Amino acid sequence: QSALTQPASVSGSPGQSITISCTGTSSDVGGYNYVSWYQQHPGKAPKLMIYDVSNRPSGVSNRFSGSKSGNTASLTISGLQAEDEADYYCSSYTSSSTPVFGGGTKLTVL
Amino acid sequence: QVQLVQSGAEVKKPGASVKVSCKASGYTFTSYGISWVRQAPGQGLEWMGWISAYNGNTNYAQKLQGRVTMTTDTSTSTAYMELRSLRSDDTAVYYCARAELPHYGMDVWGQGTTVTVSS
């Protein structure tokens, strides 16, 4: 199963909104509502930010939101803050009955 | 609090095996499964597999089939991941994470275990 496609990097200024895309196929992103997003700071374990396309776990800021259209899922971060600078990974269930991760996106807060 | 605590760093020679442990606390162990994810230096995340702590059912990544075994010990609320025939490209940080099912979000993560494969 090929990795999902994410932009290598995105950037934004404090207070702005950014969107990270995650493109797959009808055999993964497009076929199931099981897309998750993870935030990872350097040297730390990943943290679940969004599950089932658009649901936020308890404790995750409502500045983070998820959506999906066709074979592309998106993570939007509004009101960008310095602490949001991190790597972000999407993950989707696949027709092989296993999940697959995206290649990751480095978010830089300018 | 809910947490997963992993065993310490390992250094292994090519061809050897490694077994990483992941001890759960703060929740009913058998109500969830455990996924294993690894991350090679400077690289992205790679899903390795999932095990049900309820009945031991497993689901492994195809590329690791035959080399990986995941088990649980419900008496100690501990999950294990054994990887055999180690190669240099198995050098990575290995994470365990709680997941109700293989395709559900992984909501609690261990701190990671560094496995270095080097002659």
Side-chain angles (χ1 to χ4, degrees):
Chain A
Q1 191 72 32
S2 300
L4 306 174
T5 301
Q6 297 182 232
S9 63
V10 298
S11 62
S13 299
Q16 287 185 331
S17 293
I18 63 96
T19 296
I20 299 172
S21 62
C22 171
T23 301
T25 69
S26 58
S27 295
D28 38 64
V29 174
Y32 307 93
N33 288 324
Y34 294 121
V35 176
S36 299
W37 289 91
Y38 300 88
Q39 175 192 66
Q40 186 180 35
H41 287 109
K44 300 295 186 182
K47 175 185 177 183
L48 178 66
M49 306 303 285
I50 296 287
Y51 66 96
D52 295 353
V53 176
S54 59
N55 293 306
R56 273 188 314 276
S58 173
V60 171
S61 171
N62 59 10
R63 298 185 298 105
F64 291 82
S65 62
S67 62
K68 189 184 84 166
S69 177
N71 296 337
T72 299
S74 299
L75 173 71
T76 298
I77 308 173
S78 60
L80 209 55
Q81 299 179 0
E83 68 211 47
D84 299 331
E85 185 163 296
D87 293 326
Y88 291 84
Y89 294 90
C90 63
S91 172
S92 173
Y93 188 56
T94 74
S95 58
S96 300
S97 301
T98 61
V100 65
F101 282 102
T105 298
K106 181 177 179 59
L107 169 62
T108 300
V109 180
L110 302 170
Chain B
Q1 73 281 23
V2 177
Q3 62 177 355
L4 299 173
V5 178
Q6 299 182 222
S7 49
E10 304 263 12
V11 179
K12 296 292 184 180
K13 293 193 183 301
S17 298
V18 69
K19 192 170 186 176
V20 179
S21 68
C22 170
K23 184 172 176 58
S25 61
Y27 72 96
T28 302
F29 184 63
T30 51
S31 294
Y32 294 82
I34 295 289
S35 288
W36 289 88
V37 174
R38 68 180 180 178
Q39 186 171 36
Q43 302 301 308
L45 303 175
E46 178 186 11
W47 184 84
M48 300 179 66
W50 173 90
I51 182 168
S52 166
Y54 174 71
N55 58 17
N57 284 351
T58 55
N59 186 353
Y60 298 141
Q62 187 173 16
K63 70 174 284 189
L64 296 174
Q65 288 271 6
R67 283 209 302 141
V68 67
T69 300
M70 296 175 188
T71 57
T72 60
D73 181 346
T74 56
S75 68
T76 60
S77 298
T78 303
Y80 299 91
M81 185 284 299
E82 181 179 33
L83 189 59
R84 299 176 293 278
S85 301
L86 288 169
R87 310 186 290 244
S88 58
D89 62 356
D90 291 317
T91 293
V93 177
Y94 288 74
Y95 294 101
C96 62
R98 188 178 78 167
E100 199 168 337
L101 289 171
H103 51 287
Y104 282 17
M106 291 170 266
D107 65 344
V108 180
W109 291 68
Q111 82 276 20
T113 296
T114 299
V115 175
T116 302
V117 182
S118 173
S119 55

